[in-house]
Amino acid sequence: MKLSDYKKTQLTKELIDKIVFDKIFDSGESCFYALVFGHARLIKERTMKAVEMYKNGRAKKLVFLGGGYGDSNTSDSHIPESYQMRDLAIKNGISTKDIIVEDKSANTFENIQFGIKLLDNKHLDKIMLITSEFHLKRCNGIVKKVLPTSKTVLVKVNDGLHDRDNWFLNDNVWKNAGKNGSGKSLVEHEAKALIYGACNKILEDLEV
């Protein structure tokens, strides 16, 4: 089935898990560019995975994405997510010459739309996507829609609260969740965003 086939389906725990997490696989390949997606609550986890990919030689340039007024911003801080990730990466030994910052986007689609404009077309045949496990499929679907000829390498980031083996254990509403996280509602939101995006041609109508 494709994502759009689920538009009138009651989303059970099992279906949410399948829609969000199935068919996510890291091929182990290296890329010139790695897109690193911002999220106000997950800055450290995503940045440190990007640092790992750079130091392991799998990514030559880290592209940090996210403005200061994004959907995930639940605090009074409007420092762009990309700046926060950049600063943390530099503290962990990444050279500024290998960092690109996109600081205007407010959501995942804009992350990709604005970020790609900063990159050299000759290196867009294959792109690494670094983000939380629950967020990878939507990022992949958007890239496949925007850059249909590009191959994507999917690198998942786990945080202990929103991962495939634990997302259903926490039922806080994600926008109001404290430091204990928001696994269930955030992953359910992601499943609905995937279906909506496919039905409205915002992202590739992926096989699930």
Side-chain angles (χ1 to χ4, degrees):
M1 292 178 67
K2 290 184 175 292
L3 284 171
S4 61
D5 294 327
Y6 290 95
K7 61 184 176 181
K8 294 184 179 179
T9 304
Q10 181 70 32
L11 293 181
T12 63
K13 171 182 173 289
E14 291 72 25
L15 276 180
I16 291 170
D17 186 88
K18 179 181 177 67
I19 290 167
V20 174
F21 296 107
D22 265 10
K23 299 186 178 179
I24 293 175
F25 174 72
D26 181 358
S27 65
E29 295 174 84
S30 299
C31 298
F32 190 83
Y33 291 124
L35 302 185
V36 191
F37 292 81
H39 187 291
R41 295 184 182 278
L42 300 168
I43 293 292
K44 181 179 179 181
E45 292 83 355
R46 296 183 184 184
T47 303
M48 294 313 296
K49 177 60 72 170
V51 168
E52 177 189 331
M53 292 298 104
Y54 178 92
K55 290 186 175 181
N56 286 348
R58 290 189 58 191
K60 291 186 179 297
K61 301 285 184 181
L62 301 180
V63 186
F64 293 116
L65 309 168
Y69 295 85
D71 290 345
S72 70
N73 187 0
T74 56
S75 71
D76 292 329
S77 172
H78 295 299
I79 300 171
E81 295 165 349
S82 54
Y83 291 1
Q84 297 177 56
M85 292 190 288
R86 174 202 63 192
D87 293 348
L88 182 56
I90 291 170
K91 286 180 181 177
N92 282 276
I94 307 302
S95 171
T96 55
K97 69 180 178 60
D98 290 328
I99 293 175
I100 297 169
V101 171
E102 179 286 307
D103 61 357
K104 299 293 189 296
S105 59
N107 55 54
T108 301
F109 184 82
E110 289 183 357
N111 286 164
I112 295 165
Q113 182 185 37
F114 298 167
I116 285 172
K117 291 179 180 179
L118 303 176
L119 310 183
D120 189 332
N121 288 336
K122 71 180 180 181
H123 294 298
L124 295 182
D125 57 316
K126 184 171 59 174
I127 305 174
M128 182 178 289
L129 309 181
I130 301 176
T131 191
S132 299
E133 185 177 18
F134 71 85
H135 190 226
L136 261 178
K137 188 174 287 186
R138 182 152 57 103
C139 296
N140 189 39
I142 295 171
V143 171
K144 286 184 176 297
K145 188 73 175 180
V146 175
L147 292 172
T149 62
S150 294
K151 181 176 183 179
T152 51
V153 176
L154 309 181
V155 176
K156 68 180 181 180
V157 179
N158 296 121
D159 60 50
L161 292 169
H162 310 92
D163 313 320
R164 188 165 201 176
D165 60 353
N166 53 44
W167 68 268
F168 47 87
L169 300 177
N170 192 310
D171 199 22
N172 289 334
V173 177
W174 75 276
K175 285 195 174 182
N176 299 320
K179 61 183 178 181
N180 291 326
S182 54
K184 189 174 182 180
S185 58
L186 181 52
V187 174
E188 182 175 357
H189 168 83
E190 195 65 29
K192 292 175 180 177
L194 278 160
I195 295 167
Y196 176 87
C199 291
N200 289 277
K201 304 187 185 307
I202 296 169
L203 53 81
E204 184 75 12
D205 197 3
L206 301 169
E207 288 284 347
V208 177

